[in-house]
Amino acid sequence: MNDAELQKECKVETMRGSGPGGQHRNKTESCVRYTHLKTGATGAAGEERSQALNRARALRRLRTNLSLLGASATAETEGPSSSSSSSEAPTTPPAELAKWLRLPGAPKGDQIGRKSRDYPVAVSQLLDVLVSHDFALSDASSSLGMSTGALSKAITSDRDLLSRVNQERQKRGIRGLKVK
């Protein structure tokens, strides 16, 4: 879904920012909050003086939150997978996920970082893999053909993703991941 289509599904609010900034910050409504009407997910930004930059940042945050919400719905409907075996051969991960995790054999081209437009897609794909392995990192990393430590590092690099994964692991009685 492109930005224009996503914006049509959202309520957009602009507001004045709080905190330091003096006269300029108190006069302009440069803070932006998008609320997705179907899911209630939000994305907000107010760090920049430019409303256009804050709109782009808020939309990117909304996309990430929507991908995290989508994975939680999948986790609730699918439940544990019967095929989560640690001896499972690595499967071919989706292109965005392979580029983000920098897996061997990943498609050539731009790497996916947190500011990339494809980042929410990669996060969603990772959560789908984790759901299929009942959030067991060792099984998920084996299926992706990477080490458990590398997968753990990717998850802990994003606090929102880490929070979502730890919530799901806690529901299953699995110890949460910690940031080192």
Side-chain angles (χ1 to χ4, degrees), residues 6-177:
L6 182 57
Q7 287 175 343
K8 286 179 184 176
E9 295 182 4
C10 295
K11 179 176 116 179
V12 181
E13 299 171 274
T14 58
M15 61 209 90
R16 291 186 179 128
S18 62
Q23 188 177 30
H24 178 77
R25 186 147 180 119
N26 296 330
K27 281 186 176 178
T28 63
E29 293 198 356
S30 58
C31 295
V32 178
R33 178 174 42 229
Y34 284 102
T35 304
H36 192 251
L37 298 175
K38 293 179 183 177
T39 62
T42 62
E47 298 87 13
E48 303 292 333
R49 290 174 67 171
S50 163
Q51 190 182 80
L53 292 175
N54 285 333
R55 281 182 183 271
R57 187 173 281 179
L59 200 59
R60 189 170 54 241
R61 289 176 181 164
L62 175 64
R63 284 185 185 281
T64 301
N65 289 338
L66 286 171
S67 69
L68 293 172
L69 281 176
S72 69
T74 304
E76 291 169 5
T77 58
E78 279 188 15
S81 172
S82 60
S83 66
S84 60
S85 165
S86 59
S87 62
E88 181 178 309
T91 58
T92 304
E96 290 85 359
L97 181 58
K99 286 167 83 175
W100 175 45
L101 297 175
R102 295 179 175 97
L103 298 175
K108 300 296 181 206
D110 296 334
Q111 296 295 326
I112 294 179
R114 291 197 58 188
K115 292 184 178 181
S116 170
R117 181 181 174 89
D118 291 332
Y119 181 74
V121 175
V123 167
S124 181
Q125 291 170 348
L126 175 60
L127 288 167
D128 289 343
V129 170
L130 289 169
V131 165
S132 70
H133 293 283
D134 204 26
F135 285 84
L137 289 189
S138 59
D139 296 343
S141 63
S142 294
S143 75
L144 291 170
M146 63 188 303
S147 71
T148 304
L151 180 57
S152 177
K153 185 176 180 180
I155 293 168
T156 58
S157 69
D158 180 342
R159 66 180 169 85
D160 294 328
L161 175 60
L162 175 63
S163 174
R164 186 76 212 129
V165 168
N166 279 341
Q167 285 174 2
E168 292 299 327
R169 287 173 61 92
Q170 185 178 17
K171 286 180 189 176
R172 292 161 173 76
I174 305 170
R175 185 174 53 87
L177 302 175

